[in-house]
Amino acid sequence: MKSLLEKEQVEKLLPQKFPFVMVDKLFYYTENTIISGFKILPENIFVQDGNFVESGLIEHMAQSVALHTGYNFFLKKEEAPTGYIGSMKDLEIISLPKVNDEIITEVKIIQEFMGITLVEIAVKLNDSEIAKGQMKTVLAK
């Protein structure tokens, strides 16, 4: 899959900064969907014993949502607000990716109202789902 944006451009759209950036590619974007990617490097702060741990996957999921917001504001030539995880629901981590794996994540917006966004997220590795769940994010005022 060819990416729309690579690491340097993606980092400019996220409020997180190195070493806390957990998204490095934007593959697809619409008003209601984003597909992001992330290659797990050995020096990543969420790598333990060769695996990308659960908290890293959750942060990657949240940053994929943030990338959707950031790219949306970038297209409108506006500064993107910071967002926060409001809640998570039905989170299931099926397996952990390993160092040098590239995960692909699809975020679908279910509902958006007054700065609160409810999304469904699926993380895949080699076309197999490894994590999924719903997340509610809140934009800072």
Side-chain angles (χ1 to χ4, degrees):
M1 188 178 329
K2 184 169 172 15
S3 61
L4 296 173
L5 297 177
E6 293 292 330
K7 184 176 171 120
E8 293 76 28
Q9 298 108 335
V10 167
E11 285 182 3
K12 291 177 184 174
L13 301 175
L14 294 172
Q16 295 82 3
K17 301 299 170 219
F18 179 84
F20 211 68
V21 176
M22 300 299 139
V23 179
D24 60 11
K25 288 182 189 66
L26 170 61
F27 291 111
Y28 179 79
Y29 170 88
T30 68
E31 193 173 301
N32 298 312
T33 307
I34 192 168
I35 299 176
S36 66
F38 185 59
K39 182 167 183 171
I40 298 148
L41 300 177
E43 62 271 15
N44 187 285
I45 60 173
F46 289 112
V47 168
Q48 290 179 350
D49 300 322
N51 291 314
F52 190 56
V53 297
E54 291 90 345
S55 53
L57 266 176
I58 293 167
E59 185 60 33
H60 165 74
M61 294 165 91
Q63 289 186 23
S64 294
V65 177
L67 180 58
H68 185 275
T69 302
Y71 193 64
N72 183 21
F73 276 78
F74 167 76
L75 292 174
K76 295 188 290 189
K77 297 181 180 8
E78 296 178 17
E79 186 78 22
T82 301
Y84 302 94
I85 298 172
S87 66
M88 296 199 68
K89 181 178 158 191
D90 300 328
L91 177 65
E92 184 178 352
I93 295 178
I94 300 152
S95 66
L96 297 175
K98 299 191 178 320
V99 167
N100 294 320
D101 283 344
E102 184 163 5
I103 52 179
I104 307 293
T105 299
E106 183 172 5
V107 175
K108 294 180 182 172
I109 295 175
I110 299 170
Q111 190 175 39
E112 202 168 15
F113 181 70
M114 294 181 63
I116 299 172
T117 305
L118 177 63
V119 299
E120 195 167 86
I121 306 170
V123 183
K124 291 185 177 183
L125 174 63
N126 301 323
D127 292 325
S128 293
E129 193 169 75
I130 62 166
K132 63 183 177 177
Q134 287 187 356
M135 184 179 291
K136 191 177 288 184
T137 60
V138 182
L139 294 180
K141 301 275 179 197

